[in-house]
Amino acid sequence: MLLKKLILFIIFGVSIAQATFAQSTVTGRVLDAVTKESLIGVSITLTNAKKSTVTATDGSFRIRLDGKDELEITSVGYLTEKMEVTGGKQIGEILLKPSTSNMKEIIVSSNIFIDRKTPYAVSTLRAAAIEERISNKEFPELLKTTPSTYVTKSGGGFGDSRISVRGFSQNNTAVMINGVPVNDMENGAVFWSNWAGLSDIASNIQVQRGLGASKLSIAAVGGNINIVTKATEIEKGGQVAVTYGNDQYIKTTLGYNTGKSKKGFALSLLASQTKGNGYVDGTKFSAWNYFATFGWEINNRHTLTITATGAPQWHNQRSAAIPYQTFFGNPTDPTVISRGIKYNDSWGNYHNEEFSWSKNFYHKPVANLNYYWNVSDKTKFSAVIYASLGRGGGTGPIGSINGKSGFSLPKNNEGTIRFDDIEKWNIGFAAPELGPVYSNKPWAIDGPYKGQYVATNSNGLIRRASVNSHNWYGAVFNITHELTSSITLNGGLDLRKYKGLHYRRVDNGLGMDAYYETRDLNNPGKYVPTDNFTTPIDYNNDGLVRQSGGYFSAEYDKNKFSVFVAGSLSNTNYQRVDYFLYDFKTDSRWKSAKRNYRGYVAKGGINYRITDKHNVFVNMGYFERAPFFNTVWPNNNNTDFGRNLTTEKTMSTEVGYGFRSKAISININAYNTEWKDKNIIRSFPDPATGLTFRANIAGLVALHQGIEFEASSRAINKLDLQAMVSVGNWRYKNDVTTDIYNDANEKIGTVNLYTAGLKVGDAAQTTANLSAGYEFLKGFKIRGSYYYADQLYANFTPETRTNIANVGLQAWKLPSYGLMDGMLSYTFKVDGQRITFRANVDNVLDTKYIAESTDDIKYTATDATDFIIGDNGSGKRNRVNPGFGRTWTIGLRINFK
């Protein structure tokens, strides 16, 4: 009896305590007003009581309060919300609005993923995380902690990074900024040096792996990277930031927002400069970034924005991968000197200043005109008209000295190029070890430059620039209609016009007065002064691309189900124009015939919300797309178009599971992507003529399968944890047999590729990342992360696997590696201004590793599988790019109002 009374007393006491606690707490849940995603780590503050907390993994919060107070909800990239609250109040859902005036319209037109609704695999990075992680990283490196992505710095020059998604290169991954495509229309390439300022202006980034929800008429095999910029800020204010780091890295940023006026006008401006010596020797760089956007909310039905951005830059590069023993030495061969991972064989000193054969320079200004019209409560129209006029290219040597190219000439003891000696040789003076100077060369013996120093493509060395400029115009028109409360229809047009300008020009004469050009059929034997930076040499051609398409989608969202179906049709038209190889007057072939390739996309998916915590989804799709421009005319002329050429075909299926709770958020998905008729090019000799030409090999099939896991947790108030694991199995599915024809359409042989079962190279098939951040004192935060990469194979070319004796021989497997990064920051406010000090250290342990190999030279089985840096010369001839060692930055940012 006594025990029974004691139990009842305890239950009564607990109930009273719970009721008392409930009466003195405020609870709620914070969501993104546009995407409906839970916002983690949002600051929740009681203004008068000076108490604070942060939102949990599902966006929920609980804070103790006696009486009344003002609740302030703040997060980087969102408008601050304030409200009066009393203890015991359940606020419910709080929709935090992005701080930009037209963010909703931009996100809708870009088809950004909606949590627990869009049935695709996605990872999102918001403004706060971008600001915390960027340091002196390049933009793609922000994404390496997302599943099935692999990022390297390539040669290590500024902006030379690249990213792969699910084993597909960035050429096969669609990159969009505010819904506008940026991949090169001839080859799909993305040059991140052209977008060096994206980290300053990005509001959020989404990586949609697989088919994704893009509203473009052309699909990408790997997925979509959607970047949404900051647009016009609603609130008045600005920012000043300075970051300093290793190797004289310094970045300064200044931005200002007028805020939205009573008449609906808003203007945001931002400019930054970044410069430094580069981590790799001889990779000095200088870059600017500018961003301006004007917004006009005409009324509640019409909004107009104009945006312009660009990042003019130049940077010296490491021209090509170098044999790994050059970086790490060879203990079994003492004659091999280890020059360290910073070594670069492209540069030297010229007139006491850094000078490189390999220099990239480019400016790609982009202007967008965006118009949004709320036709009615149920119908919305958007139009994006854009233009991009890219100008620039990359440099390299042209010519030779006594039969040696600019890279094979003897170097200094430090392994650098002897540019001063090259100049001496060019103008007729003796230069040690470069060889004899001939009496009649390199001087011109006739013509307007008689008696002056003239280079040719076989005698004398100068630096040329290969120009790859373009004029690109496009428009995306989209209309959305809510047919019913649960059915939404969407359709539009995607139109693009592109002209690529390709030629070489003189960049630096290295003492020469002129360059003697012989390849221009319309101007044979012309002399080009070395101070003439406009006259083409060596080659001169244009690539014309016209692309038009339409797309349609329907979405059903009711109760527990969300269904998405979409389709598109497109036509890609190619034409090549050559100004050197054909006589304008007599040969009409200077303009090639036009080539048309039709493509289409069909995809759909279902998301089922089992409960408020659990959801599952499945999607599948099929598409065909045009081959890249360079495969249509593989021999770089207007007559030899690619035979065996066909549209590339992709079939993809994906299933996924999501879990959301206050303590943890989990996403798991599995995918199967089959890429058929991947077009590849290789060279073949013609037995009848002895000439070598390039032809297309069709029929190769690549199979990409994998499982992806992503989780985040804030079970402890001040501690946030994030984890990612992805395991892929990417391999070629078949052998290929193709008949080869010459220019006269005569069969000259058959090629067999033995590729069945071979692993796809150039991206780690297994990656993992664990990150933990802890706010140990108010405003003080520390974060550490560990990244791991394995199952990384050399980037072998399948078109070379023609030896039946090597059937099943895998590509060279590189060693796995792990990297640790760290961050420490302190944020506080002074008179309402947010001030942040931050220090980042990447690769804290200074781990030496190989990020990629561009060769697959085979040795013994032991060498191929037990590779260790420096042991017994394993893989010593493979050309590799090592990863960076320890790097660091310290920075100060002031956000003012």
Side-chain angles (χ1 to χ4, degrees), residues 600-670:
Y600 68 91
V601 179
K603 59 185 177 181
I606 301 174
N607 185 86
Y608 177 57
R609 297 177 287 274
I610 304 171
T611 68
D612 289 341
K613 294 184 178 180
H614 304 270
N615 73 286
V616 293
F617 72 83
V618 60
N619 68 66
M620 64 185 304
Y622 176 85
F623 71 85
E624 296 188 12
R625 72 170 191 189
F628 287 141
F629 185 96
N630 61 343
T631 62
V632 178
W633 289 281
N635 292 299
N636 296 316
N637 62 45
N638 291 353
T639 54
D640 302 333
F641 69 92
R643 294 173 176 83
N644 301 323
L645 204 59
T646 182
T647 55
E648 298 183 349
K649 307 167 183 66
T650 299
M651 178 72 186
S652 181
T653 305
E654 183 176 31
V655 296
Y657 164 75
F659 176 78
R660 305 288 186 274
S661 74
K662 181 177 180 180
I664 192 169
S665 171
I666 296 174
N667 291 309
I668 303 173
N669 48 277

Side-chain angles (χ1 to χ4, degrees), residues 178-461:
N178 297 336
V180 174
V182 302
N183 299 73
D184 188 283
M185 288 192 64
E186 291 181 277
N187 55 27
V190 179
F191 302 98
W192 293 105
S193 57
N194 300 339
W195 304 98
L198 276 179
S199 60
D200 297 325
I201 62 176
S203 176
N204 67 64
I205 311 165
Q206 281 199 345
V207 181
Q208 296 181 5
R209 300 179 294 277
L211 293 176
S214 166
K215 288 180 179 175
L216 300 179
S217 61
I218 305 262
V221 186
N224 307 299
I225 299 175
N226 291 338
I227 303 157
V228 178
T229 64
K230 291 181 178 178
T232 48
E233 300 282 343
I234 294 175
E235 294 181 321
K236 182 179 180 180
Q239 59 175 295
V240 177
V242 179
T243 303
Y244 181 78
N246 56 278
D247 301 292
Q248 303 300 308
Y249 176 94
I250 185 166
K251 179 177 181 179
T252 54
T253 303
L254 176 63
Y256 182 72
N257 318 303
T258 65
K260 188 166 69 172
S261 70
K262 293 181 180 180
K263 294 185 177 180
F265 296 112
L267 176 67
S268 292
L269 303 171
L270 184 141
S272 66
Q273 184 193 32
T274 311
K275 60 182 179 180
N277 292 334
Y279 179 83
V280 173
D281 293 338
T283 56
K284 184 177 289 188
F285 64 92
S286 178
W288 290 85
N289 174 51
Y290 59 87
F291 172 78
T293 179
F294 170 78
W296 181 20
E297 193 174 284
I298 303 171
N299 51 45
N300 60 1
R301 296 183 63 185
H302 302 275
T303 301
L304 186 71
T305 64
I306 300 173
T307 301
T309 186
Q313 59 80 35
W314 65 264
H315 67 279
N316 292 334
Q317 299 175 293
R318 183 156 54 189
S319 65
I322 297 170
Y324 95 78
Q325 67 171 355
T326 305
F327 294 121
F328 301 106
N330 185 350
T332 63
D333 186 354
T335 63
V336 176
I337 301 173
S338 172
R339 297 195 179 278
I341 61 174
K342 292 188 174 187
Y343 177 65
N344 178 7
D345 68 347
S346 298
W347 78 290
N349 285 310
Y350 181 48
H351 296 177
N352 296 317
E353 293 185 0
E354 181 179 304
F355 190 84
S356 177
W357 283 133
S358 306
K359 177 182 179 181
N360 178 273
F361 56 98
Y362 216 87
H363 181 203
K364 181 184 172 69
V366 179
N368 294 355
L369 173 64
N370 296 59
Y371 171 64
Y372 308 100
W373 176 23
N374 292 325
V375 182
S376 68
D377 291 340
K378 294 186 176 182
T379 304
K380 295 176 174 57
F381 172 80
S382 67
V384 182
I385 300 173
Y386 59 92
S388 173
L389 305 178
R391 295 293 181 268
T395 68
I398 189 170
S400 63
I401 292 179
N402 293 313
K404 293 185 178 181
S405 69
F407 289 101
S408 60
L409 286 172
K411 296 181 174 62
N412 292 325
N413 292 333
E414 297 80 14
T416 57
I417 305 291
R418 301 163 59 179
F419 288 107
D420 288 329
D421 284 344
I422 291 174
E423 182 182 74
K424 288 181 180 179
W425 194 96
N426 278 345
I427 60 177
F429 293 96
E433 300 181 31
L434 297 190
V437 177
Y438 296 102
S439 59
N440 64 334
K441 291 182 179 180
W443 304 284
I445 57 177
D446 54 20
Y449 283 83
K450 183 177 181 180
Q452 298 186 53
Y453 306 122
V454 176
T456 69
N457 61 11
S458 61
N459 203 59
L461 272 173

Side-chain angles (χ1 to χ4, degrees), residues 796-842:
F796 78 97
T797 50
E799 61 268 29
T800 62
R801 293 303 185 102
T802 58
N803 189 346
I804 194 171
N806 293 330
V807 170
L809 183 62
Q810 291 292 354
W812 179 49
K813 182 181 177 184
L814 281 65
S816 61
Y817 63 89
L819 304 174
M820 184 177 293
D821 298 338
M823 186 279 302
L824 178 67
S825 68
Y826 176 47
T827 300
F828 59 98
K829 287 186 177 182
V830 176
D831 296 331
Q833 321 307 316
R834 182 169 64 95
I835 302 174
T836 302
F837 292 95
R838 180 173 287 110
N840 293 76
V841 181
D842 295 327

Side-chain angles (χ1 to χ4, degrees), residues 535-705:
T535 300
I537 64 171
D538 213 27
Y539 62 82
N540 184 15
N541 58 77
D542 294 341
L544 307 181
V545 185
R546 306 288 187 272
Q547 190 171 292
S548 59
Y551 58 85
F552 174 82
S553 68
E555 300 174 51
Y556 172 83
D557 184 33
K558 187 174 183 180
N559 299 327
K560 296 185 175 183
F561 282 96
S562 295
V563 181
F564 175 83
V565 293
S568 69
L569 294 172
S570 64
N571 182 77
T572 302
N573 176 277
Y574 292 140
Q575 186 177 27
R576 188 178 187 279
V577 180
D578 200 302
Y579 304 101
F580 267 34
L581 298 181
Y582 307 95
D583 189 325
F584 295 160
K585 298 177 181 179
T586 62
D587 195 339
S588 62
R589 294 178 301 172
W590 70 281
K591 284 189 176 182
S592 75
K594 295 180 179 180
R595 302 290 171 183
N596 285 287
Y597 298 91
R598 292 181 175 83
Y600 68 91
V601 179
K603 59 185 177 181
I606 301 174
N607 185 86
Y608 177 57
R609 297 177 287 274
I610 304 171
T611 68
D612 289 341
K613 294 184 178 180
H614 304 270
N615 73 286
V616 293
F617 72 83
V618 60
N619 68 66
M620 64 185 304
Y622 176 85
F623 71 85
E624 296 188 12
R625 72 170 191 189
F628 287 141
F629 185 96
N630 61 343
T631 62
V632 178
W633 289 281
N635 292 299
N636 296 316
N637 62 45
N638 291 353
T639 54
D640 302 333
F641 69 92
R643 294 173 176 83
N644 301 323
L645 204 59
T646 182
T647 55
E648 298 183 349
K649 307 167 183 66
T650 299
M651 178 72 186
S652 181
T653 305
E654 183 176 31
V655 296
Y657 164 75
F659 176 78
R660 305 288 186 274
S661 74
K662 181 177 180 180
I664 192 169
S665 171
I666 296 174
N667 291 309
I668 303 173
N669 48 277
Y671 62 90
N672 183 93
T673 302
E674 190 172 75
W675 187 11
K676 296 181 178 180
D677 289 330
K678 176 183 177 182
N679 290 291
I680 55 178
I681 302 292
R682 65 161 290 185
S683 298
F684 296 94
D686 185 344
T689 63
L691 300 176
T692 299
F693 67 99
R694 291 162 57 81
N696 182 70
I697 302 174
L700 187 64
V701 179
L703 184 64
H704 292 236
Q705 300 171 317

